[in-house]
Amino acid sequence: MSVPKKDLQRIEKLRDQIRYHNACYYVHDNPEIPDAEYDRMMRELQELEARYPDTITIDSPTQRVGAEPMEGFETVKHELPMLSLNNAFSEEEVLEYDRRIHDRLPGQKQIEYTVEPKLDGLAISLRYEKGVLVRGLTRGDGNEGEDVTSNVRTIESIPLKLLGKDYPDVLEVRGEIIMPKAGFAALNKRQIEKNEKTFANPRNAAAGSLRQLDPKVTRTRPLEIYCYGVGVIKGKDTMSTHHATLEKLQTWGLRVNPETSVVKGVKACLAYYQAMLDKRARLDYEIDGVVYKVNDLADQHTVGQVARAPRWAVAHKFPAEEELTKLLDIDVQVGRTGKLTPVARLEPVYVGGVTVTNATLHNQDEIDRKGVRIGDTVIVRRAGDVIPEVVGPVLSRRPKKTRAYKMPELCPVCDSDAIRQEGEADLRCTGGLYCSAQRKEAIKHFVSRRAMDIDGLGEKLVDQLIDQGLIDTVADIYSLDKDQLAALERMGDKSAANLVEALEKSKATTLARFLFALGIRGVGETTAQTLATHLMSLEALSRADEETLQAVPDIGPVVAQNIIVFFQQPHNQEVIDKLLKAGVHWPAIEAVDESTQSLQGKTFVLTGTLTKMTRNEAKQGLQALGAKVSGSVSAKTDFVVAGDKAGSKLQKAQALGIKIIDEATLESLLE
Ligand code: IVH
């Protein structure tokens, strides 16, 4: 069937536009049109192609899943081998690496390096001929890889056709296929729901997904690409630095990691390492180090390569986040609300940059689910600032004599019954304030920075005060005198005097802080703030019934019940009275004027770094105007405030078409 010229032109135009918008979205993180419009263009193209099947080409944006499931992958030789990287594990090794570069490039004062995150996924080589994606190969052994073309074609951030006109005749792009952390978590959740096997980490998930025999399965997996170099390049080849190459790749619609940068000298490399280490936990994808590459391509050539790795690049690895160690024993810790937490005592192990000796095991169900036994060799994980946890045992290393663990039936501190309420995973000590562990934790919470903010009353001191019977409840801390305090271990006259002063100062507080400090279950900082604004006095709160409480935004039946029960306890009333008598006070709360609640009902999400205020200040400011501040972007979000270097939340907001405002706009809103 002959295709009318008008339709042919329309088809070509739609394809070009879609490719362009793909690049805006994936490469530049900056979509220009709403998703709905993109979808409309895609649908129109699909309809036209359905009408004129002869016009379909393999580089059409509609052709991401075409292939039928395969029997296996064909092995193909790389025209240019895919190299790997040498590793440096310490600052000293990096300095040594830089010295060797200087030896090979005499006369240069400071070497210019491109610095990049070392992405934790799997390497891929994409071959474009005349701008059209013709093949995707895994790294394999470096010399030959597996042909996963049908699968890479399903990944939206990989262009099927390069943009522009100035691409070389043949271009092999090298990059890393990754699965973002959020996508990984969602995938594992789906796997559990479907009763299928879960993946140990995003890298395994990415590898497993790319090696699916059915591209339709790969299509459903949240894979992405970041390109970090080129292999074969034939025809136009005009770039003189590595960084210029990466920039060029972007103009062709290939995605490059936004954390990539150019620095001068090894000191700056080390600063980049530290900055990325600090940022690691906040990135939406896993990295296991950074890579330094000599930027000048002529210099790269001079420096050369050895067998399997270039001399001009080095990977500076982060400390591992997972390590093996021995589970020596399991102890039980009692928390503020009586929760009994089993804690693994471990043979000390260096993981995630610190030496870990304890790790939480959460509860009995978790111990059973993981199947760990005392005596096991276990995997310990510490990612970022997250508390260390035991991932599971290494069964192949299980010794003959191991012991299963069962949580105790009595609280290990006060011998009260420990019970597990229906529907709850945790055991709780029923001792309440009879239990010294609970009392200690309640006091530590009361004095903490975000509660009553009493400087100089640290954990060790609280333990001493309780153990020596000097205090029983939070109310007693205000009757401590200087001499009593000075007599304690590791205290002197000076610190005792300072503490008395801090106690005095803490008496001037706010209702919200006070409520939070009381430690009612389920009443965190935000809830305390909401309760204070809506009920306006302690009196009103302590008399509030279920209905009144549930009318307060975000208070559900469980928390409402907790609040009521808390105030019904004569003991708690006594403590509160004593605190008030000791002089704890706060300014009266003025009635909320609905007209000043200009952001009533609006939900905000803050992301990126704000320069003129802290996140907490922004949050409080917004809440004061009646807004809700949430931690994650969803369809219910009204505004996303994007500070500096905003990342995945911003992307998600853009993808959802949510209104995005900058810090200046936020400031004017708050004024
Ligand atoms: S460059 C010629 N850059 O690390 C050098 N590799 O250990 C070839 N990787 O197989 C690699 N991020 O899968 C390079 N920014 C980055 C990287 C990176 C991750 C992986 C890649 C490679 C492995 C080598």
Side-chain angles (χ1 to χ4, degrees), residues 83-85 116-119 123 139 176 228 291 293 310 312:
L83 302 179
S84 74
L85 291 167
E116 305 169 5
K118 185 171 192 301
L119 304 156
R139 178 169 179 279
E176 197 86 349
Y228 51 61
V291 186
K293 299 175 179 172
W312 45 262

Side-chain angles (χ1 to χ4, degrees), residues 279-417:
K279 205 167 178 182
R280 182 186 200 178
R282 278 178 283 137
L283 294 174
D284 189 35
Y285 45 85
E286 296 217 322
I287 63 177
D288 57 353
V290 294
V291 186
Y292 312 134
K293 299 175 179 172
V294 170
N295 193 31
D296 190 279
L297 296 184
D299 286 347
Q300 282 190 1
H301 192 74
T302 309
V303 173
Q305 66 181 61
V306 283
R308 321 225 43 196
R311 282 207 206 89
W312 45 262
V314 72
H316 188 183
K317 301 277 290 232
F318 291 152
E321 289 188 326
E322 286 189 357
E323 276 298 348
L324 292 183
T325 190
K326 242 196 158 63
L327 175 57
L328 302 174
D329 205 351
I330 296 177
D331 286 344
V332 175
Q333 250 170 24
V334 186
R336 172 164 63 86
T337 56
K339 181 179 158 196
L340 266 47
T341 307
V343 178
R345 302 295 175 208
L346 305 166
E347 209 161 79
V349 58
Y350 187 75
V351 53
V354 300
T355 300
V356 170
T357 48
N358 304 316
T360 177
L361 281 163
H362 303 289
N363 54 50
Q364 183 76 52
D365 287 354
E366 281 287 297
I367 295 176
D368 297 345
R369 195 178 63 78
K370 288 175 176 161
V372 284
R373 297 167 68 96
I374 296 168
D376 264 335
T377 294
V378 293
I379 299 171
V380 177
R381 182 176 171 79
R382 180 184 180 271
D385 291 332
V386 182
I387 51 169
E389 68 162 353
V390 173
V391 179
V394 181
L395 293 178
S396 60
R397 300 218 186 159
R398 175 165 281 174
K400 285 216 175 67
K401 279 192 188 151
T402 56
R403 194 150 50 84
Y405 180 79
K406 191 108 196 55
M407 290 285 281
E409 282 166 13
L410 300 179
C411 168
V413 174
C414 73
D415 278 345
S416 304
D417 286 335

